[in-house]
Amino acid sequence: KHGSTAAAWRMAMDPKFTGSVSFGNFLLVLEDCAFQGNVKALWKMLSGDRTTITFQDLDAGAQKLLDAFRASLLQNFGSVTEAWAKGLNEIGRGKVDKKDFLDACEKHALGSNPEKVFKALLARPGQRSLCKEDLRALLIGIPPEQIQNVWDGASSAQGVDPLSPRDSAKVRIDEDKSKDRIVSSVDGFKKMLIVKYGSLFSAWRNSLDTDHNGIMAQADFANACRDMGIKNITSLWGQLDPMKLGHVTLKDFDNDSNSAITEFTALLLAQAPTTKEAWTQFFMDPKKALGTDLKKFTVGCQEIGFGCMPPEKAFKLFRPEAGRHHLDYHDLFKNFDRNQNFPGKEPGQPWSKDQATTTN
């Protein structure tokens, strides 16, 4: 139900971080999980003669894991909040996926088993990324009077409840403001796009040029910035469009992406009347409709003579989100003729020999 003992403890058994759970609360949680075993015998095994249990009693291995990682964070950054801001979430997006988490742990030498830590910090089954609030799992096992100091370095005598809705809202607001300050340059903006979309090409297709007309107008850019909580829109646009043309092309925005898609398109059109026919011939996996995995994509690139960049790099560039293991035709091109009603000529299709245009 909860995905891990740490999540069950934090979210259901001891959400207020008192440090212990009574039999009554323990019973309610197990009933909610549809536990069919002998609850009393289990309680006796965990508690002995005590009236409460701690997370150490429930899962000593997980407690040791969290203790070690927390100690590593505090040694390097002084508090969990500082560790999040300066170590785990340096880019400032607000969420960290597994790969970014492992990379950050390696970079800052945090803990000895970061993969297990990542799983322990997840608050629910199916969750794929961490936010700052998920790090509250690291407060498990800490005496209540020390929680505030470990969390943000503040003295508990200040009387701030680290779990109160008001404090949580303030933290989120402060993080948003901090993000606005961080994204003051085009490079910073591009880094955020790569974190969110996996590549600048994917960001271009899915956020900056959603109508696929080959240009990004200022309104398109503003909408993308608002979607990511960026408010420094005018200044960033001025850096992107210094000539005040009112629009930016993919070539202006990211020449590598433009070169890759331009060459890839030309090579496909050299093989068939439309990009879709060529894609079907060289990249289509019958088991995945119009999809292709990295192995088949690599072979297809070699067959059509794509040499702008290594196929592995192009695969990562073209996929719509980081971590996806296949590419679809519509990840690269707009699929005007989904039902194959016009073979050899797709109505309105810009990627055909008689209507071919480039994104620059």
Side-chain angles (χ1 to χ4, degrees):
K1 182 178 177 63
H2 296 282
S4 70
T5 53
W9 183 270
R10 174 196 161 198
M11 306 304 295
M13 293 187 182
D14 187 27
K16 294 185 178 181
F17 291 86
T18 61
S20 62
V21 172
S22 66
F23 176 73
N25 287 340
F26 183 76
L27 177 62
L28 290 174
V29 173
L30 263 60
E31 287 180 348
D32 186 51
C33 295
F35 180 71
Q36 300 296 320
N38 189 326
V39 178
K40 290 186 177 180
L42 178 60
W43 176 261
K44 180 67 175 177
M45 181 179 68
L46 294 174
S47 66
D49 296 327
R50 292 176 285 120
T51 58
T52 61
I53 61 170
T54 64
F55 185 66
Q56 173 76 22
D57 300 320
L58 183 66
D59 191 339
Q63 181 69 76
K64 183 178 180 180
L65 181 74
L66 294 176
D67 288 344
F69 189 72
R70 181 179 62 245
S72 181
L73 291 184
L74 296 181
Q75 180 178 0
N76 282 274
F77 300 100
S79 70
V80 175
T81 297
E82 284 294 295
W84 172 257
K86 297 181 180 180
L88 300 176
N89 186 40
E90 287 182 284
I91 295 179
R93 182 191 170 201
K95 291 185 178 181
V96 176
D97 62 20
K98 183 177 179 179
K99 181 181 182 304
D100 291 335
F101 181 82
L102 297 180
D103 289 345
C105 289
E106 181 179 359
K107 176 181 178 181
H108 299 286
L110 301 175
S112 58
N113 201 331
E115 189 162 349
K116 283 189 176 181
V117 172
F118 182 84
K119 293 179 180 179
L121 295 178
L122 296 174
R124 62 187 182 279
Q127 183 179 342
R128 295 184 178 182
S129 60
L130 296 174
C131 66
K132 181 182 175 182
E133 287 299 302
D134 293 323
L135 297 191
R136 291 195 183 278
L138 296 172
L139 302 178
I140 295 173
I142 297 177
E145 65 272 12
Q146 297 179 18
I147 285 179
Q148 189 65 45
N149 186 52
V150 170
W151 181 251
D152 60 15
S155 172
S156 59
Q158 294 176 342
V160 180
D161 179 6
L163 303 176
S164 69
R166 177 179 296 180
D167 187 49
S168 295
K170 183 178 183 303
V171 168
R172 288 193 295 270
I173 291 172
D174 289 342
E175 287 179 343
D176 288 340
K177 290 181 178 179
S178 176
K179 182 188 297 183
D180 293 338
R181 291 193 296 271
I182 290 173
V183 186
S184 58
S185 68
V186 172
D187 286 342
F189 176 67
K190 289 181 177 180
K191 287 180 181 179
M192 286 194 67
L193 289 175
I194 292 172
V195 169
K196 183 171 184 178
Y197 295 100
S199 73
L200 293 179
F201 178 80
S202 175
W204 180 266
R205 279 188 54 81
N206 295 289
S207 179
L208 303 176
D209 179 29
T210 54
D211 54 1
H212 308 308
N213 64 356
I215 63 172
M216 170 180 62
Q218 186 171 0
D220 300 325
F221 176 75
N223 289 334
C225 286
R226 294 189 189 101
D227 182 57
M228 294 191 296
I230 300 172
K231 298 179 181 179
N232 193 22
I233 299 174
T234 303
S235 174
L236 288 173
W237 179 254
Q239 297 176 51
L240 284 168
D241 183 26
M243 302 300 292
K244 302 187 184 301
L245 300 176
H247 66 269
V248 174
T249 66
L250 178 57
K251 183 177 182 179
D252 299 326
F253 185 71
D254 183 45
N255 190 49
D256 286 347
S257 293
N258 180 73
S259 298
I261 189 60
T262 300
E263 179 179 320
F264 192 77
T265 301
L267 291 170
L268 290 180
L269 292 178
Q271 302 292 332
T274 68
T275 55
K276 192 172 184 179
E277 287 187 38
W279 176 273
T280 302
Q281 179 181 349
F282 292 96
F283 297 96
M284 182 175 174
D285 185 338
K287 298 180 180 179
K288 299 179 181 177
L290 293 178
T292 179
D293 58 19
L294 176 58
K295 182 178 180 181
K296 189 167 185 62
F297 180 80
T298 300
V299 173
C301 285
Q302 293 170 347
E303 290 177 340
I304 66 173
F306 180 75
C308 178
M309 61 179 62
E312 296 82 0
K313 183 178 179 180
F315 187 88
K316 292 180 180 179
L317 180 73
F318 291 149
R319 64 186 179 182
E321 66 266 343
R324 212 170 71 166
H325 299 297
H326 72 278
L327 275 176
D328 294 322
Y329 174 79
H330 59 257
D331 293 330
L332 286 78
F333 308 105
K334 193 168 183 177
N335 195 0
F336 289 92
D337 186 23
R338 291 181 180 274
N339 296 319
Q340 307 288 351
N341 292 323
F342 302 92
K345 185 175 181 180
E346 301 170 49
Q349 166 64 286
W351 304 117
S352 55
K353 284 184 178 178
D354 57 340
Q355 302 175 9
T357 61
T358 66
T359 51
N360 57 338

